[in-house]
Amino acid sequence: MGSFQPHLEKLKNLMHINDVQLALISDRMLQDMSIGLQKSTKSSVRMEMLPSYVDCLPDGSERGAYIGLDLGGTNLRVLLLTLTDPIDGGAKFDATIKSESYKLPKEKMEGTSAELFDFIAANMGDFAIKNGLEGKMLPVGFTFSFPFDQDRIDHAILKQWTKAFNIKDGVGEDVVQMLRDAIARQGNLKCEVVAVCNDTVGTLVSGVAEDPNCQIGLIVGTGTNAAYLEKVSNIESVSGYKDDRFMCVDMEWEYFADTGALNNFVTEFDKQVDATSPMPGEFIFEKMISGMYMGEIVRLILCQLASVGNIFTEKCLGDLRTTGGFDSRYVSDITEEAIAGHGETDVVTSILASVGVKASHGDVHTVQLVCEFVSIRAAHLCAAGISAIARKIKANHPEQNDLVVTAGVDGSVYAGHPTFDTLLEDKTDELCRNHGVKVRFIRAKDGSGKGAALIAAGMYRNRK
Ligand code: GLC
């Protein structure tokens, strides 16, 4: 490695955000959260702080069968959640889930909204046939992983298509109506869409079913965002509720840094990622954290190291020359091998070979380190955000000393990256240490779809 060590040191420093800086980022997010909750000041921040109208969390008394739909970053998931009397005789339901995942074809992410919703309804039909649900009237909870405005739980006006969705219409329209229309066009499906939620809200609710202390929902997947339980009296746009009630707020934190909060930490690589992304200038926070961009940041760093002669001496860059040529999954796989600590390099070598790169032993080590720097920065930025939420929750419960709150987490990066969870947890601990609050993380597997079905179950419970 010898001669290029200084280069790596420089890169490490460039990607490093120290604890003092992370604490300042946390402060800024906390401040933006409060500003975003007020109608009069909201326009000066970019985080949306959207009320979800989910104010009734599962209490274990729900029973029955519900459909959860989860339109995420790259897949559609349809699930049947069945809540029955518990065999242990306790009060809380026993839950069983049957689910199917359907890969979203690229053309459905770039066509019209009607085509996308017809695809959803068609797969609901397929799911109904496979599970003998044809003709059954079931309540549906719909997780729609995009920003939308709500004034009630089954009404959602789309604000923007995000992630890799490049659909030309649908913004300003009600996605629940679009889904209902597609279900009607499908013909033989009988079901009632009773609730819609963002994936972070779904994850929070499904976290509550695991741990009643869950007050945060976090997604780190194709995109990243978080939701938390806020006092209704702090959400200016919501009225008609008793002040002591709590409601899930979808922060839409992917927009957090779009007012410049991270300008001191945005590197030349982040700028390049941004410039070639479908939405330049937006989602800066997400672009430094989530799975849609992690591989791309690594790719750009490797290209630069190669251009100055620090790696890949044969100048054979293969697919690394192309935007999107290095999948974020590789970052996880390479990290997995690196942390095993046996000095093995088979995985990284074969990944590099698969993208057409011939690497020396030294190159392989450099690639491992680059993946590490990028992963650490992503997890630490996420920790800055989570610590801000924990402090906000703590401020709502001043009477509780040493408050512990649970965060339910899902998403491909959180679930698939071998060190992300520990990096996030450890840094959140450090950032919360002097604030009288601690965050406990739980994996909310299939959280968002299950959460939507649980919200539907709650609606049904309330209607009875
Ligand atoms: C994107 C979406 C947001 C979603 C997140 C995680 O940032 O805009 O609504 O929650 O991805 O899927």
Side-chain angles (χ1 to χ4, degrees):
M1 224 174 52
S3 62
F4 55 76
Q5 187 69 35
H7 226 95
L8 278 176
E9 203 54 45
K10 207 170 137 203
L11 186 67
K12 185 177 179 181
N13 291 337
L14 184 72
M15 300 299 285
H16 182 66
I17 306 181
N18 69 36
D19 287 355
V20 174
Q21 294 165 328
L22 287 170
L24 288 172
I25 295 169
S26 173
D27 288 350
R28 173 70 183 266
M29 182 165 299
L30 183 60
Q31 194 184 20
D32 283 11
M33 288 170 79
S34 296
I35 297 174
L37 286 168
Q38 300 301 314
K39 270 198 270 185
S40 51
T41 51
K42 192 177 171 37
S43 61
S44 61
V45 295
R46 271 302 276 121
M47 273 195 311
E48 296 283 355
M49 306 302 289
L50 302 166
S52 67
Y53 292 83
V54 174
D55 66 326
C56 138
L57 299 169
D59 64 7
S61 69
E62 298 82 0
R63 299 287 184 273
Y66 303 90
I67 298 287
L69 272 187
D70 184 2
L71 183 72
T74 49
N75 285 303
L76 167 73
R77 207 167 174 78
V78 187
L79 62 84
L80 171 69
L81 173 72
T82 310
L83 306 172
T84 50
D85 288 336
I87 40 172
D88 67 4
K92 189 188 157 196
F93 52 64
D94 279 347
T96 54
I97 290 185
K98 284 185 185 166
S99 71
E100 290 281 337
S101 222
Y102 303 91
K103 177 117 194 76
L104 272 165
K106 198 168 183 293
E107 67 272 16
K108 301 289 176 210
M109 295 161 79
E110 296 179 346
T112 65
S113 53
E115 282 163 2
L116 176 66
F117 280 89
D118 281 340
F119 172 82
I120 299 174
N123 287 304
M124 286 172 79
D126 170 78
F127 183 81
I129 293 171
K130 282 190 181 140
N131 291 282
L133 301 172
E134 289 158 287
K136 286 202 179 142
M137 175 61 92
L138 291 178
V140 177
F142 178 31
T143 296
F144 185 67
S145 311
F146 299 91
F148 47 82
D149 274 323
Q150 290 188 270
D151 54 7
R152 55 174 204 266
I153 200 158
D154 65 344
H155 189 231
I157 303 297
L158 177 61
K159 293 176 83 74
Q160 185 176 13
W161 291 106
T162 59
K163 295 176 272 202
F165 286 69
N166 191 12
I167 290 177
K168 301 290 176 291
D169 65 331
V171 172
E173 288 178 45
D174 175 15
V175 297
V176 175
Q177 195 53 50
M178 288 195 258
L179 177 60
R180 286 179 179 147
D181 292 346
I183 290 174
R185 284 195 294 274
Q186 208 271 348
N188 51 8
L189 267 178
K190 272 197 175 167
C191 49
E192 190 193 355
V193 186
V194 296
V196 61
C197 65
N198 183 261
D199 51 354
T200 54
V201 173
T203 301
L204 194 167
V205 171
S206 101
V208 172
E210 303 297 318
D211 175 352
N213 195 27
C214 184
Q215 301 190 50
I216 301 173
L218 168 67
I219 298 283
V220 194
T222 308
T224 181
N225 183 16
Y228 73 106
L229 280 186
E230 179 58 273
K231 252 186 184 167
V232 170
S233 56
N234 288 341
I235 315 172
E236 207 191 342
S237 58
V238 171
S239 55
Y241 284 80
K242 286 203 185 122
D243 275 3
D244 61 348
R245 301 279 306 192
F246 282 78
M247 183 182 281
C248 301
V249 167
D250 165 18
M251 293 172 62
E252 295 294 332
W253 83 5
E254 70 277 16
Y255 294 111
F256 162 64
D258 295 1
T259 43
L262 295 182
N263 280 2
N264 290 341
F265 309 105
V266 167
T267 65
E268 61 199 280
F269 309 110
D270 301 307
K271 286 185 186 150
Q272 285 180 64
V273 166
D274 182 47
T276 54
S277 73
M279 285 157 261
E282 291 188 275
F283 315 116
I284 305 301
F285 192 54
E286 180 164 274
K287 284 170 181 164
M288 293 167 88
I289 296 176
S290 79
M292 190 162 154
Y293 310 98
M294 204 180 252
E296 185 62 5
I297 301 175
V298 169
R299 182 189 78 80
L300 289 167
I301 296 175
L302 296 179
C303 284
Q304 200 214 51
L305 290 177
S307 77
V308 293
N310 287 110
I311 51 170
F312 311 140
T313 43
E314 292 181 17
K315 288 274 185 276
C316 163
L317 275 172
D319 292 350
L320 289 185
R321 287 186 202 286
T322 323
T323 306
F326 197 78
D327 202 291
S328 292
R329 232 176 343 118
Y330 298 153
V331 181
S332 297
D333 295 345
I334 290 170
T335 309
E336 179 102 55
E337 179 176 66
I339 59 165
H342 306 307
E344 306 262 333
T345 54
D346 293 356
V347 172
V348 58
T349 309
S350 76
I351 286 175
L352 290 172
S354 76
V355 294
V357 176
K358 196 159 179 294
S360 71
H361 188 74
D363 295 344
V364 155
H365 186 62
T366 301
V367 173
Q368 287 173 334
L369 286 173
V370 171
C371 289
E372 185 185 323
F373 303 154
V374 171
S375 306
I376 292 176
R377 189 186 67 160
H380 285 181
L381 282 172
C382 203
I386 290 294
S387 65
I389 301 177
R391 291 162 64 194
K392 185 82 178 73
I393 293 173
K394 167 72 184 158
N396 287 336
H397 300 276
E399 73 291 352
Q400 289 190 38
N401 295 324
D402 300 325
L403 181 70
V404 181
V405 295
T406 300
V409 198
D410 202 6
S412 51
V413 173
Y414 187 81
H417 188 291
T419 54
F420 195 92
D421 55 353
T422 315
L423 288 166
L424 170 63
E425 198 167 329
D426 291 352
K427 193 52 76 182
T428 305
D429 260 359
E430 286 172 35
L431 293 170
C432 285
R433 192 160 294 149
N434 297 325
H435 298 282
V437 59
K438 183 179 165 54
V439 181
R440 176 178 169 256
F441 291 88
I442 57 170
R443 167 93 200 276
K445 194 172 175 297
D446 284 336
S448 39
K450 183 179 168 193
L454 282 168
I455 293 168
M459 297 300 297
Y460 195 67
R461 180 186 76 202
N462 286 352
R463 279 184 194 183
K464 276 197 287 195

